[in-house]
Amino acid sequence: MTTTATAKTINEVGIDDLYRAGGGILTIDETKHIHQIIKQAISKAKRSRLSATEVWKEVLGKKVLKSNHPHSLHQLVYYSVYANWDTSINGPPLYWFPSLQDSKLTNLGKIMEILGPKLLGTSYKDPIASFNLFREYTVRHPEVYWSIILKELSVTFHEPPKCILDTTDKSRPGGTWLPGSVLNIAECCLLPSIHPRKEDDSCAIVWRDEGDDDDSDVNRITLKQLREQVILVANALDRTFTKGDAIAVDMPMTVNAVIIYLAIILAGCVVVSIADSFAAKEIATRLRVSKAKAIFTQYFIVRGGRKFPLYSRVVEASPHKVIVLPVSGHNVGVQLREQDISWKDFLAYDNQHQRPIHFTPAYLPVDSMINILFSSGTTGEPKAIPWTQLSAIRSTAEGWAHINVGVGDVYCWPTNLGWVMGPILLFSCFLTGATLALYHGSPLGRGFGKFVQDAGVTVLGTVPSLVKTWKNTDCIKGLDWTKIKSFASTGETSNVDDDLWLSSKSYYKPIIECCGGTELASSYIQSSLFQPQAFGAFSTASMTTGLVILDEHGVPYPDDKACVGEVGLFPLYLGATDRLLNADHNDVYFKGMPTFKGMRLRRHGDILKRTVGGYIVVQGRADDTMNLGGIKTSSVEIERVCDRSDESILETAAVSVAPPDGGPELLVIFVVLKKGFNQQPEKLKTIFSKTIQTNLNPLFKVSNVKIIPEFPRTASNKLLRRVLRDQIQHELSVRSRM
């Protein structure tokens, strides 16, 4: 394991090294104490012939590495402990280890303790030792697992399902789930329940507006208050629209946005999710594809103290009707088109005619569409992906089982209803009894960090680029995040050093890595609270998910073999799509995929690396795979080593292109430098070449390095390597014609 953080092993780290890394915060006595704990851990490991993992585990157990210690100290200890770690023999280095006592208190652990002996017989030992067996059982018997989970979530059927799973219809490879059942999933979110315990006075949402960060208090809304607000909007919708109408939401994920989202579904209409960062053209595309009858938005967005227009962008997309919310107060502050209406006027009838707060939900079959989401568009025009009520159940179950979200938790994840994490977060809170935490503003600065502290957030979701910003700006210095019991991360590949920083902010709580897709309504691979965890790696497929990793001929590798290949998913998958609105579902997800044990595998498009020890690292998309000198590798694998090769580097992007006149693919690395650093491309080329050849393959050569101010990204922050690839391809083509 190589790193720029330290060249020393843990045996060589002395008191002076620790004191310097402490950055003036540590006293000499504190430094000596940390040094003593490290030496004791080394001695204990030597006596028992244990690995570096046990040294790290012992140091963590003493809690001598504090959340307020400089990152340089955490780096010194972690990287020196694992300095001689050989990942090819040992797998990725581990940073977090489950406790048997804690595991039995988790949502899934309690179920395993009660039902494990019945389902697994004498093979069941405890939640940690038997987790793999239990998960494999759920793959073979998904109907048993889902019958259990439905009792753990706040899901009430108006008409119960005839069965859990019906596989008789061979035209539906994903199966027919909960056939015959009828419900309204928004109503399930809003009603009190005994298990999980949700009461009318339970806190449903906690929030704060950007600019109010000096306050220690946060705003709260109870379940009863939320229900009343949703009913108010649902009544207004019912007077204006027809059941089944598609209604768009293009605004930040505020309390009002959540109310509108639930009200649309409660009224039997369909939410069209549009991210508030989109340009008018992108908004127009989504309105056209979804056939939206109207759109909710607001005049402008406040981010980092700046105002960004939103209503004007929406109007440019030419929607039929816009309902415009004020950013604050009651007046929208802008002249509206004739067909548009203010939020105040939209609700005016109910505000003027006081009636009992009541609304009869639209009860619909479980596979009825409730939400139209869109893919991020990394591979062309975004696919219109319909979410059903099954999708809401699936997404909630993942948070319940893997992230352990439940009653008493305050769950925060900076996101937007235009991206899949928005609806996932919403349902994961309201169907488990957790409190939803929303910050009305930019998550990049100290204001957001203080909100996390003041709201008592217990589960914090992130994207890796957000963590990188927090770390590089040191914006949460002095804040207390130690109430956080777990982090979660998705959207792009995590950076090991950034995750080291993040985990250390709450005494090395686990980061639950999540990788899935909008069309799956969930993650197909995740981290688990029943397995030791490695930074930037996944430890398991999610509950009930079957998968194989395919070689270049489409043949699955053995499950216990370290390998790299494209993933194929088992088709039986509750909550996954069985249709698309603007593309052929079979062509996109099944056509051309191999069969396995009589099943046509479902395409997802990720390239996975399974390590020694069974951990999984996402190596990018199938279209990000490159062939360098006859050896296949991925952009992500190269970026991992390049990101840590020099202190001037903020991030890298690796692409390969074929020369215009033929020959082997050329490796080109794009670089964004940290603020205040200046570096020459040729010097970086030398550094990258050495790093790649040392850590990956001595035959790989860097053809070119290009330094640019920022990378092109989708609105959900996913890196658009194809744009960089096209740029290089164009430059090479021009040169070849000169």
Side-chain angles (χ1 to χ4, degrees), residues 385-657:
I385 299 170
W387 258 36
T388 69
Q389 302 191 89
L390 287 166
S391 309
I393 294 171
R394 176 72 190 220
S395 62
T396 301
E398 297 297 324
W400 179 91
H402 284 269
I403 307 177
N404 196 40
V405 177
V407 176
D409 280 320
V410 179
Y411 192 5
C412 181
W413 200 317
T415 185
N416 187 277
L417 288 171
W419 303 115
V420 70
M421 271 315 308
I424 287 178
L425 176 65
L426 185 155
F427 288 118
S428 294
C429 289
F430 298 147
L431 295 180
T432 65
T435 297
L436 171 62
L438 299 174
Y439 184 70
H440 298 175
S442 170
L444 296 174
R446 187 175 181 80
F448 173 79
K450 189 170 185 295
F451 169 70
V452 170
Q453 169 190 275
D454 295 346
V457 169
T458 61
V459 181
L460 178 61
T462 68
V463 294
S465 57
L466 191 53
V467 178
K468 186 181 290 292
T469 298
W470 293 337
K471 186 189 80 170
N472 290 340
T473 60
D474 205 21
C475 63
I476 71 162
K477 185 177 181 180
L479 298 176
D480 183 359
W481 279 13
T482 56
K483 287 185 180 179
I484 295 172
K485 68 177 189 180
S486 64
F487 299 92
S489 180
T490 194
E492 53 190 342
T493 304
S494 292
N495 176 279
V496 171
D497 194 62
D498 293 345
D499 277 0
L500 173 70
W501 176 89
L502 181 65
S503 181
S504 73
K505 294 304 166 188
S506 189
Y507 285 103
Y508 287 96
K509 294 301 192 299
I511 301 171
I512 307 301
E513 295 283 350
C514 309
C515 179
T518 306
E519 76 284 358
L520 298 176
S522 63
S523 299
Y524 71 94
I525 50 174
Q526 288 192 279
S527 306
S528 166
L529 295 172
F530 306 100
Q531 298 167 310
Q533 295 303 315
F535 289 126
F538 305 82
S539 61
T540 181
S542 58
M543 305 303 293
T544 75
T545 299
L547 63 82
V548 290
I549 299 177
L550 305 167
D551 67 16
E552 58 188 8
H553 304 294
V555 178
Y557 288 103
D559 288 342
D560 58 353
K561 181 179 176 62
C563 58
V564 177
E566 184 174 352
V567 67
L569 301 178
F570 290 11
L572 286 178
Y573 202 111
L574 185 148
T577 54
D578 60 7
R579 61 194 186 275
L580 294 170
L581 300 188
N582 61 345
D584 187 299
H585 190 270
N586 184 70
D587 285 354
V588 172
Y589 295 115
F590 289 98
K591 187 177 180 181
M593 289 296 287
T595 57
F596 178 71
K597 294 184 178 180
M599 302 176 291
R600 175 70 64 184
L601 294 173
R602 182 178 178 120
R603 178 181 292 107
H604 186 69
D606 284 344
I607 299 295
L608 303 185
K609 175 181 179 180
R610 184 161 54 221
T611 72
V612 172
Y615 289 85
I616 296 172
V617 178
V618 178
Q619 303 240 290
R621 301 290 292 171
D623 54 3
D624 282 334
T625 303
M626 55 183 75
N627 187 324
L628 301 177
I631 302 169
K632 284 191 175 181
T633 187
S634 74
S635 299
V636 172
E637 193 167 25
I638 290 174
E639 289 158 9
R640 281 181 189 276
V641 297
C642 289
D643 280 351
R644 299 206 323 254
S645 63
D646 190 80
E647 65 176 355
S648 66
I649 296 166
L650 180 63
E651 55 184 341
T652 60
V655 299
S656 68
V657 292

Side-chain angles (χ1 to χ4, degrees), residues 276-339:
D276 60 16
S277 56
F278 279 135
K281 181 181 177 182
E282 296 295 328
I283 298 171
T285 297
R286 286 154 176 79
L287 293 175
R288 172 179 53 78
V289 171
S290 65
K291 300 177 182 177
K293 297 294 179 64
I295 182 169
F296 285 88
T297 191
Q298 61 188 50
Y299 179 21
F300 58 85
I301 304 167
V302 178
R303 285 285 186 273
R306 298 172 60 196
K307 294 181 180 180
F308 298 90
L310 185 54
Y311 174 67
S312 59
R313 272 189 280 137
V314 169
V315 167
E316 193 179 338
S318 301
H320 295 298
K321 185 184 188 71
V322 186
I323 300 104
V324 186
L325 281 76
V327 177
S328 61
H330 298 289
N331 297 319
V332 295
V334 64
Q335 181 67 41
L336 304 182
R337 298 183 309 172
E338 185 178 351
Q339 67 265 44

